Amino acid sequence: MEIKIATNIDTDIFYAVIKFLKENGWELTIEYDENLFDKGVDFDFYRFEKNTETVLLVWNNWFEGEIKATKEILNEIAKHFNCTLEYGIPEYLHEQNIINDLKPLLKFKKKH
């Protein structure tokens, strides 16, 4: 499975994707801690899991959103939201250790 990173995702679509994932059986496993003053203002981060697949989402108020997932999942998102995803140079999700780097700022959810 080819993993891709969609970039420059409009804020409204970014947060609609999170709602879409939650409504379609994806489990939120990591989230930028809601107790941090800049959550959703300057920065946001989410990781969703379903079966063996993972979707990472990062947003900031300068570069908009990024989504890292398989090509198939990204195509499903683009189709559902009737949009064309861009695949530019990511600001965050190119980092292989992003979760480890952000660990003190993240809230890890228990799996059911």
Side-chain angles (χ1 to χ4, degrees):
M1 290 196 236
E2 181 183 2
I3 302 292
K4 295 183 80 175
I5 302 171
T7 59
N8 199 33
I9 298 166
D10 181 75
T11 299
D12 292 339
I13 291 176
F14 179 84
Y15 285 103
V17 168
I18 291 165
K19 183 178 178 188
F20 171 77
L21 293 172
K22 288 178 179 178
E23 291 172 349
N24 285 279
W26 288 84
E27 182 179 7
L28 177 61
T29 57
I30 300 175
E31 181 177 3
Y32 193 65
D33 192 334
E34 70 269 0
N35 294 316
L36 295 170
F37 71 94
D38 64 340
K39 178 175 175 58
V41 176
D42 291 324
F43 186 81
D44 223 341
F45 179 91
Y46 299 85
R47 181 178 76 183
F48 286 88
E49 296 179 23
K50 184 177 185 181
N51 302 322
T52 61
E53 298 194 84
T54 300
V55 177
L56 295 178
L57 302 100
V58 172
W59 175 89
N60 77 36
N61 64 344
W62 298 279
F63 300 102
E64 301 283 342
E66 299 176 6
I67 302 174
K68 183 176 184 178
T70 62
K71 188 170 98 175
E72 293 77 15
I73 292 169
L74 291 170
N75 288 342
E76 180 182 341
I77 289 169
K79 183 178 178 182
H80 179 80
F81 290 97
N82 194 27
C83 66
T84 301
L85 296 176
E86 296 177 29
Y87 297 94
I89 299 170
E91 184 69 21
Y92 297 100
L93 291 179
H94 66 287
E95 297 290 337
Q96 294 299 315
N97 296 317
I98 189 166
I99 292 173
N100 215 27
D101 294 345
L102 293 173
K103 198 171 196 172
L105 306 173
L106 301 175
K107 183 180 258 187
F108 293 76
K109 312 281 185 173
K110 290 186 178 185
K111 287 189 155 197
H112 300 285

